[in-house]
Amino acid sequence: FGTPAQNRLVEGQITMRPILPSFAGYSDYSFRSKQGDRDGFREQLEDKRTDAEGNANFELNLANRTNGTYQLQFLAKAYEQDSGRNVAAQASILVSPEDFLVGMKTDGSLSYIKRDASRNINLIALNPNLDKVAANGLKLRYQEKKYLSVLTKDTYSGLYNYVSKLRMDEVSTAPLNIS
C-alpha cells in the first residue's frame, strides 16, 4: 500500500479475563486451571512510535500477572500524523503459566451421585500445542460438598435466621499420573 507509516503514534492496551478454556477437538472435556484474578484487569501500555518499517513493539510484561488461565486481548490504535484519526486492530490469545492443562470427560453428572453408583472419568493433559502429554506427580483430591445451616443474627433487625453455608470437606487424596 505504499511507503510504511513512519514515526506514527501507536497506543496499546491489554485486557485479561479469566477463562475456562475449551478447545476444538476436545469439546467433550472440561478444563480447569489455577484461579487467578477473578475480575481480570485492563492495562494501558506505554505509547510507542512506529519505526522506519512502520512497526511498533510493545512489552507486555506478564511474568507476575498470569497466575491463572486468561484470555488476553490486545488493542492497538495507530494515529495519522498530526491528526486525531486512527486505525485500530485487535487480537486475542489464551495465556497460561502452566506447562499443560488437565481436561476431564465424565460419563454423567458429578453434581449428585447416588450411594454405590459409579462414574467414569477420563483425564487428559494438553500442552500449549494441544498435543496430549504425560503429567506425572499430580494429586487427586476427593471432596464432598456439604451445606450447613448456621444460625446468624441480622445486624440491622437483630433477628436470628438460619443461613445455608457451603463447606467443602476433603474425603481423601491420592497420587495421580496421566499418561
Side-chain angles (χ1 to χ4, degrees), residues 121-137:
I121 301 172
N122 184 24
L123 298 172
I124 59 170
L126 298 180
N127 69 11
N129 296 324
L130 299 184
D131 299 321
K132 290 183 182 179
V133 295
N136 298 317

Side-chain angles (χ1 to χ4, degrees), residues 5 11 28 34 61 78-79 100 112 117 136 143 155 163-164 171:
E11 293 178 350
D28 294 343
K34 291 180 188 174
N61 194 14
Y79 289 86
F100 57 85
Y112 180 80
N136 298 317
Q143 293 181 323
T155 55
V163 177
S164 293
V171 177

Side-chain angles (χ1 to χ4, degrees), residues 69-159:
T69 302
Y70 292 89
Q71 178 185 29
L72 181 145
Q73 290 182 315
F74 176 76
L75 172 66
K77 293 180 182 177
Y79 289 86
E80 288 185 2
Q81 192 73 21
D82 301 324
S83 171
R85 293 186 349 172
N86 67 64
V87 176
Q90 184 173 344
S92 65
I93 189 169
L94 189 67
V95 177
S96 177
E98 307 300 329
D99 295 329
F100 57 85
L101 292 177
V102 174
M104 173 179 76
K105 179 169 78 170
T106 64
D107 64 350
S109 173
L110 298 179
S111 62
Y112 180 80
I113 303 173
K114 290 184 181 181
R115 183 178 295 245
D116 299 326
S118 66
R119 287 286 184 266
N120 294 307
I121 301 172
N122 184 24
L123 298 172
I124 59 170
L126 298 180
N127 69 11
N129 296 324
L130 299 184
D131 299 321
K132 290 183 182 179
V133 295
N136 298 317
L138 303 176
K139 187 191 314 183
L140 181 63
R141 296 183 333 183
Y142 295 97
Q143 293 181 323
E144 179 181 14
K145 287 183 180 180
K146 287 186 177 180
Y147 286 93
L148 302 174
S149 291
V150 179
L151 186 62
T152 59
K153 184 178 181 179
D154 188 314
T155 55
Y156 297 109
S157 66
L159 299 175

